[in-house]
């Protein structure tokens, strides 16, 4: 209803303002976590909230907060607490992505920039053409070994990017956080395990394979 949209719009504006604040103090962090927890507990309002965030750059604010929290709470467990500071943000992002196709599409575009996707897809096509020219059995076996080794790692995860840190999280020992991150990334891949595995790298995706079931990593393709 219009009243609900107006209320959620006001709430969304407040959340965005809070989420964009530098996490320079415990008080600000606590307020930011309270905001994302409210988002996580939304029901019918989630779709309206997600639409507001898409139209007002709120998705970027949520992802920026996640990146900040991951800088301060390392996946290797040496610093901070993933479950306290990172997990709530991931849960909220997952809830928003599940509620709105537009929000999910924007989230995916921000996390996996289309220009970067085009670059690695072109690279894989070029590699496939090169591989098709190999004819000797030993050379074919060696080339396959090389490609399988490459696919153990993310197809595109530059240093400093949020996606690289998230791929590290899905290998951490904190099970609740890594599973929720896996579920978020899989949702952004439209539940396509092939795409998820290609993006994350088979080595990083093993945990989710135990949950969803193993697949072949050969001849993976993405339809964006």
């Amino acid at each position: 209803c219009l009243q609900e949209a107006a209320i959620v719009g006001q709430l969304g504006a407040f959340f965005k303002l809070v989420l964009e604040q530098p996490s320079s103090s415990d008080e600000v962090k606590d307020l930011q976590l309270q905001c994302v927890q409210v988002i996580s507990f939304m029901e019918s309002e989630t779709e309206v909230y997600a639409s507001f965030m898409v139209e007002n750059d709120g998705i970027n604010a949520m992802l920026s907060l996640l990146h900040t929290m991951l800088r301060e709470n390392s996946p290797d467990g040496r610093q901070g607490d993933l479950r306290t500071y990172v997990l709530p943000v991931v849960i909220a992002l997952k809830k928003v992505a599940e509620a709105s196709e537009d929000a999910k599409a924007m989230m995916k575009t921000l996390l996996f920039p289309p220009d970067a996707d085009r670059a690695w897809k072109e690279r894989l096509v070029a590699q496939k053409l090169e591989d098709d020219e190999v004819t000797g059995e030993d050379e074919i076996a060696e080339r396959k070994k090389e490609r399988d080794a490459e696919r153990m790692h993310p197809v595109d995860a530059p240093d400093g990017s949020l996606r690289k840190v998230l791929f590290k999280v899905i290998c951490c020992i904190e099970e609740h956080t890594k599973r929720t991150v896996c579920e978020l990334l899989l949702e952004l891949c439209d539940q396509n395990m092939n795409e998820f595995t290609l993006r994350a790298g088979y080595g990083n995706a093993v945990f989710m394979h135990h949950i969803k079931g193993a697949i072949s990593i050969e001849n993976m393709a993405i339809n964006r």
Side-chain angles (χ1 to χ4, degrees), residues 94 98 104 182-196 208 212:
K94 179 173 174 285
E98 291 171 341
K104 179 166 70 173
C182 282
E183 291 172 348
L184 170 63
L185 294 174
L186 189 56
E187 179 64 27
L188 296 184
C189 295
D190 292 320
Q191 300 299 321
N192 185 323
M193 280 295 290
N194 277 5
E195 179 178 350
F196 169 77
M208 205 58 174
K212 296 290 186 179

Side-chain angles (χ1 to χ4, degrees), residues 155-179:
V155 70
D156 173 66
D159 290 341
S161 66
L162 177 54
R163 55 191 181 277
K164 180 161 187 173
V165 187
L166 289 174
F167 295 148
K168 290 181 179 180
V169 172
I170 62 179
C171 292
C172 75
I173 61 174
E174 206 298 283
E175 187 168 350
H176 290 84
T177 304
K178 73 177 180 180
R179 173 157 185 168

Side-chain angles (χ1 to χ4, degrees), residues 96-126:
V96 170
E98 291 171 341
S100 165
E101 288 296 322
D102 288 341
K104 179 166 70 173
M106 178 170 287
M107 208 177 291
K108 183 172 184 177
T109 295
L110 291 169
L111 191 58
F112 303 111
D115 287 346
D117 274 4
R118 279 192 292 272
W120 65 254
K121 286 178 184 179
E122 290 173 359
R123 185 178 76 246
L124 291 188
V125 170

Side-chain angles (χ1 to χ4, degrees), residues 22-200:
S23 303
S24 56
S25 68
D26 291 339
E27 290 78 10
V28 172
K29 290 177 187 175
D30 288 342
L31 184 56
Q32 290 171 328
L33 291 176
Q34 289 174 30
C35 287
V36 296
Q37 286 168 352
V38 171
I39 297 168
S40 300
F41 285 111
M42 285 181 176
E43 296 297 339
S44 61
E45 310 91 348
T46 310
E47 186 175 355
V48 180
Y49 170 78
S51 296
F52 174 88
M53 296 302 268
V54 167
E55 295 169 3
N56 295 275
D57 200 30
I59 303 299
N60 190 44
M62 294 179 72
L63 289 173
S64 295
L65 176 63
L66 176 60
H67 207 168
T68 297
M69 292 299 188
L70 283 168
R71 291 191 191 100
E72 299 174 357
N73 302 272
S74 59
D76 59 16
R78 296 179 183 177
Q79 174 182 316
D81 183 345
L82 289 176
R83 191 165 180 176
T84 298
Y85 294 102
V86 173
L87 180 58
V89 187
V90 178
I91 291 173
L93 283 164
K94 179 173 174 285
K95 180 105 179 197
V96 170
E98 291 171 341
S100 165
E101 288 296 322
D102 288 341
K104 179 166 70 173
M106 178 170 287
M107 208 177 291
K108 183 172 184 177
T109 295
L110 291 169
L111 191 58
F112 303 111
D115 287 346
D117 274 4
R118 279 192 292 272
W120 65 254
K121 286 178 184 179
E122 290 173 359
R123 185 178 76 246
L124 291 188
V125 170
Q127 288 179 347
K128 180 68 166 57
L129 293 175
E130 292 176 3
D131 295 349
D132 289 344
E133 294 179 358
V134 177
T135 56
E137 291 185 7
D138 291 344
E139 292 177 328
I140 291 174
E142 183 62 28
R143 184 63 63 89
K144 182 179 184 302
K145 183 178 178 181
E146 291 175 3
R147 297 305 184 214
D148 287 348
E150 290 172 358
R151 290 181 182 180
M152 291 295 291
H153 306 285
V155 70
D156 173 66
D159 290 341
S161 66
L162 177 54
R163 55 191 181 277
K164 180 161 187 173
V165 187
L166 289 174
F167 295 148
K168 290 181 179 180
V169 172
I170 62 179
C171 292
C172 75
I173 61 174
E174 206 298 283
E175 187 168 350
H176 290 84
T177 304
K178 73 177 180 180
R179 173 157 185 168
T180 309
V181 167
C182 282
E183 291 172 348
L184 170 63
L185 294 174
L186 189 56
E187 179 64 27
L188 296 184
C189 295
D190 292 320
Q191 300 299 321
N192 185 323
M193 280 295 290
N194 277 5
E195 179 178 350
F196 169 77
T197 304
L198 187 58
R199 288 191 181 280

